[in-house]
Each structure stands twice: as C-alpha cells, then as structure tokens.
Amino acid sequence: MNLPAPRPSPTLAPDLQLGEPMTDAMHAEFVALLDALACASDETWIGAFDAWTAHTKQHFAQEEAWMEEMNFGPRHCHGSQHRHVLNVAGEVRRQVADEGRFDTGRQLVSELREWFAWHVKSMDALMVEALRERGIAQIDHVDQIV
C-alpha cells in the first residue's frame, strides 16, 4: 500500500518570524494557504480561498483572544485591521463567485502579501512583545525549541 508523502510543514521567511511558536505557525499556515491560492486555477480558486478564509478567521480570533486576555492597549486597532481584511475578502469572494472576477481575486492575493508583511512586522510584533512581557508567549526565541 502506498501512503501519501507527509506534507512538509509550511515555512515562514525569516523576516516574518517573531520567535513565538504558535504565532509563527499560524503565520506560516497563512502564507502557505495564500501561496496555494495564488497557484489555484479558476476551477479550484473558490475552494482555496475558502480554506484560506477559514484559517484566517481562526488565526485572527486567536490573536484577538490573546489581546483581550492581556488587555492589550492597541487591540481595537489591531482587531479592526483583521475585520477590514475579512470584509474585503468576503466582498472579493462574492465578486469572483457571482461575477467571475478572478482578476479581482488574484489582485487581492497580491495585495494581501504586502499587507501581511507590514501587519506582522508592526501590529503582530507589538502583540508578541506584550505576550512575552506578560508571560503568555510559549517561549522567547525559536532557537529554544528542542
């Protein structure tokens, strides 16, 4: 019996790694699903988009739960970024599904890459630092994982 090869773990570019394992894993999955979406054919695009959206909703909800738990000052600004991305994504999905606007969908994927890099390096970096200060982060540095 031939078993499928194990799926490699998504990797995250070094400049997007924040050194908190759960956050970095969520970010790696976000990027991997965005990559899959970028490569999806018109026939598979909606399915790939829905997989990215499902992950992203859970990812954002986890971050927002952490920020609430620690009463993180900029949590409302950070959360509004999440809501905006999900609202835009929902509208783009509607345009692709109802109007066949794959050009709009593919443009969103391209723009999400730039937004995500900025978001991780600014908003998420502040959040992870606050998690560390409050002892909520799993570990301080990736190189401590054994």
Side-chain angles (χ1 to χ4, degrees), residues 3-9:
L3 297 174
R7 185 174 170 212
S9 298

Short mmCIF file of all heavy atoms in Angstrom, two decimals, residues 3-9:
data_model
loop_
_atom_site.label_atom_id
_atom_site.label_comp_id
_atom_site.label_asym_id
_atom_site.label_seq_id
_atom_site.Cartn_x
_atom_site.Cartn_y
_atom_site.Cartn_z
N LEU A 3 1.31 5.02 0.82
CA LEU A 3 0.77 6.12 1.60
C LEU A 3 1.26 7.42 1.00
O LEU A 3 2.37 7.49 0.47
CB LEU A 3 1.21 6.01 3.06
CG LEU A 3 0.73 4.78 3.80
CD1 LEU A 3 1.38 4.75 5.19
CD2 LEU A 3 -0.78 4.81 3.93
N PRO A 4 0.43 8.48 1.08
CA PRO A 4 0.90 9.75 0.56
C PRO A 4 2.10 10.25 1.36
O PRO A 4 2.22 9.99 2.55
CB PRO A 4 -0.31 10.68 0.73
CG PRO A 4 -1.22 10.00 1.69
CD PRO A 4 -0.88 8.53 1.67
N ALA A 5 2.97 10.96 0.68
CA ALA A 5 4.13 11.54 1.37
C ALA A 5 3.64 12.55 2.38
O ALA A 5 2.64 13.23 2.16
CB ALA A 5 5.04 12.21 0.35
N PRO A 6 4.31 12.63 3.52
CA PRO A 6 3.89 13.62 4.51
C PRO A 6 3.99 15.03 3.93
O PRO A 6 4.91 15.32 3.17
CB PRO A 6 4.86 13.44 5.67
CG PRO A 6 5.85 12.41 5.26
CD PRO A 6 5.46 11.88 3.92
N ARG A 7 3.02 15.83 4.27
CA ARG A 7 3.02 17.23 3.81
C ARG A 7 4.08 17.99 4.61
O ARG A 7 4.07 17.96 5.83
CB ARG A 7 1.64 17.83 4.04
CG ARG A 7 1.50 19.21 3.51
CD ARG A 7 0.05 19.65 3.64
NE ARG A 7 -0.01 21.06 3.35
CZ ARG A 7 -0.86 21.89 3.89
NH1 ARG A 7 -1.74 21.46 4.76
NH2 ARG A 7 -0.86 23.15 3.58
N PRO A 8 4.99 18.68 3.90
CA PRO A 8 6.00 19.43 4.64
C PRO A 8 5.36 20.57 5.42
O PRO A 8 4.35 21.12 5.00
CB PRO A 8 6.93 19.97 3.55
CG PRO A 8 6.19 19.84 2.27
CD PRO A 8 5.13 18.80 2.47
N SER A 9 5.93 20.87 6.55
CA SER A 9 5.43 22.00 7.33
C SER A 9 5.70 23.28 6.57
O SER A 9 6.76 23.45 5.98
CB SER A 9 6.16 22.08 8.68
OG SER A 9 5.92 20.92 9.41
#
